[in-house]
């Protein structure tokens, strides 16, 4: 079972940001990315929001680094860890623009991109950019098809749909990977269906452990009914973690303990059919976080 993490600092919603992140910046991101690379993490992830309206700013904050710029910045400082957009709201941009950005990222990182996509939920973002918020599901469905073409091996990709049409426009560099892995985020019935039928993987959003088996069974059912074949990566976001015995209040939902104890709890995800887990560590500083990353990679991960 593989393990990855959403980067701190680059998004600072009050749901998960630690206090120290408010004063953190590029150097902190670099050190955290390097620590994850050394610790064998499968991926690092960055979020996507163009702008946060005032009504949501207090809860979500307005700190949301651009995922393409952030992941490209970290690609140059790492060697093995993959680079995941979790998730890119691709419906906010024309598919050719998205393809240009992420194909370049895959090229520059020697084939380490995972393109995670989602429908989005902030209505004001869509309105400001002139995109239909109510129809964002249909927009995303066609974006997936257009991106499959635009990120494929052809220098002059071609797509003809209801919303987007292009041909005869060359884009190089091409991605190193063929195909680029495309994971679909979201836990609504529509998102689960989209992941099952159009994606190479699923990134749940907020599903607790007890909901995952039914969601995974639904994905398998949908793929079987539609005759969809090929590899498919099921993900899960774990509870917050703290490797060892904390000497501060890490919250009642946080999993704590020694390597065997943590690994035993996390192996339950594998038993459900999960292939990769996204972990988030409680921390009071960058140093505590990188120590947690190192301890997890060295002591917990081998037991998974």
């Amino acid at each position: 079972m593989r393990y990855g993490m959403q980067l701190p600092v680059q998004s600072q919603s009050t749901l998960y940001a630690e206090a120290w992140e408010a004063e953190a910046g590029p150097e902190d991101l670099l050190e955290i990315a390097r620590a994850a690379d050394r610790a064998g993490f499968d991926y690092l992830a960055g979020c996507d929001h163009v702008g946060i309206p005032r009504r949501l700013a207090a809860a979500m904050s307005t700190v949301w680094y651009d995922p393409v710029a952030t992941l490209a910045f970290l690609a140059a400082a790492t060697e093995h860890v993959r680079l995941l957009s979790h998730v890119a709201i691709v419906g906010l941009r024309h598919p050719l623009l998205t393809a240009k950005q992420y194909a370049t990222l895959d090229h520059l990182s020697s084939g380490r991109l995972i393109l995670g996509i989602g429908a989005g939920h902030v209505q004001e973002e869509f309105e400001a950019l002139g995109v239909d918020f109510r129809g964002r599901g249909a927009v995303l469905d066609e974006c997936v098809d257009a991106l499959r073409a635009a990120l494929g091996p052809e220098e002059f990709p071609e797509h003809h749909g209801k919303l987007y049409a292009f041909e005869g426009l060359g884009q190089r560099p091409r991605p190193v990977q063929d195909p680029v892995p495309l994971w679909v985020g979201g836990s609504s019935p529509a998102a689960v269906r989209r992941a099952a039928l159009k994606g190479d993987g699923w990134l749940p959003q907020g599903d607790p452990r007890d909901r995952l088996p039914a969601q995974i069974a639904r994905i398998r059912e949908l793929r079987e009914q539609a005759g969809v074949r090929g590899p498919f990566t099921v993900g899960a976001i774990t509870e917050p973690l703290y490797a060892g015995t904390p000497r501060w209040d890490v919250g009642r939902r946080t999993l704590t303990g020694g390597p065997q104890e943590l690994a035993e709890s996390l192996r339950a995800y594998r038993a459900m059919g999960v292939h990769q887990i996204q972990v988030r560590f409680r921390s009071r500083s960058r140093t505590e976080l990188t120590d947690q990353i190192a301890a997890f990679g060295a002591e917990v991960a081998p037991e998974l």
Side-chain angles (χ1 to χ4, degrees):
M1 187 166 60
R2 300 191 298 260
Y3 54 99
M5 65 179 287
Q6 185 81 248
L7 285 158
V9 181
Q10 52 83 39
S11 72
Q12 296 189 27
S13 167
T14 56
L15 290 175
Y16 48 72
E18 302 285 7
W20 64 269
E21 296 179 48
E23 302 301 321
E27 283 299 320
D28 301 284
L29 278 170
L30 284 172
E31 289 305 311
I32 292 160
R34 288 167 177 150
D37 200 33
R38 291 191 299 267
F41 277 60
D42 185 60
Y43 65 78
L44 297 168
C47 303
D48 182 25
H49 277 292
V50 173
I52 306 301
R54 291 185 185 277
R55 69 179 178 89
L56 297 175
M60 292 182 65
S61 94
T62 58
V63 179
W64 295 84
Y65 288 32
D66 178 79
V68 178
T70 304
L71 295 174
F73 174 64
L74 299 177
T78 55
E79 296 181 4
H80 308 293
V81 68
R82 296 195 292 172
L83 308 160
L84 167 65
S85 57
H86 187 181
V87 288
I89 308 172
V90 293
L92 294 176
R93 306 164 181 91
H94 193 286
L96 280 180
L97 175 59
T98 299
K100 168 58 72 175
Q101 293 174 313
Y102 283 100
T104 302
L105 175 55
D106 194 62
H107 178 79
L108 292 174
S109 66
S110 300
R112 289 190 277 148
L113 169 68
I114 307 170
L115 181 55
I117 64 167
H121 66 94
V122 179
Q123 183 170 348
E124 290 91 336
E125 278 185 307
F126 285 77
E127 292 173 346
L129 296 171
V131 182
D132 179 18
F133 179 74
R134 291 180 180 272
R136 65 194 186 281
V139 171
L140 179 55
D141 283 338
E142 186 170 333
C143 276
V144 173
D145 297 334
L147 286 169
R148 290 285 194 193
L151 290 170
E154 298 298 325
E155 180 181 353
F156 293 87
E158 184 173 342
H159 171 79
H160 298 279
K162 293 181 180 180
L163 301 171
Y164 306 106
F166 50 83
E167 64 176 312
L169 293 170
Q171 286 192 334
R172 294 183 67 185
R174 305 307 302 153
V176 172
Q177 300 178 90
D178 182 22
V180 170
L182 195 153
W183 293 357
V184 177
S187 294
S188 69
V192 169
R193 183 177 185 84
R194 185 177 295 116
L197 301 183
K198 289 182 170 289
D200 304 310
W202 176 52
L203 294 162
Q205 184 65 38
D207 284 284
R209 289 193 190 208
D210 59 356
R211 282 191 58 193
L212 283 171
Q215 295 277 56
I216 295 169
R218 177 61 175 157
I219 287 173
R220 290 172 175 165
E221 177 187 28
L222 287 166
R223 288 174 66 82
E224 184 175 347
Q225 288 175 350
V228 179
R229 300 287 183 266
F232 189 87
T233 301
V234 174
I237 300 176
T238 74
E239 301 85 351
L241 304 179
Y242 193 91
T245 303
R247 298 182 179 179
W248 57 288
D249 182 9
V250 294
R252 62 182 180 84
R253 290 187 61 250
T254 301
L255 301 179
T256 66
Q260 294 285 352
E261 188 176 359
L262 287 178
E264 181 180 0
S265 178
L266 295 175
R267 282 197 296 268
Y269 285 101
R270 185 175 63 188
M272 297 176 196
V274 170
H275 305 111
Q276 66 86 7
I277 53 173
Q278 185 173 124
V279 298
R280 177 179 288 275
F281 302 99
R282 296 301 318 276
S283 60
R284 294 165 294 177
S285 67
R286 183 187 82 189
T287 299
E288 186 168 29
L289 176 56
T290 54
D291 287 347
Q292 284 286 303
I293 289 170
F296 187 88
E299 300 169 11
V300 181
E303 304 297 329
L304 295 178

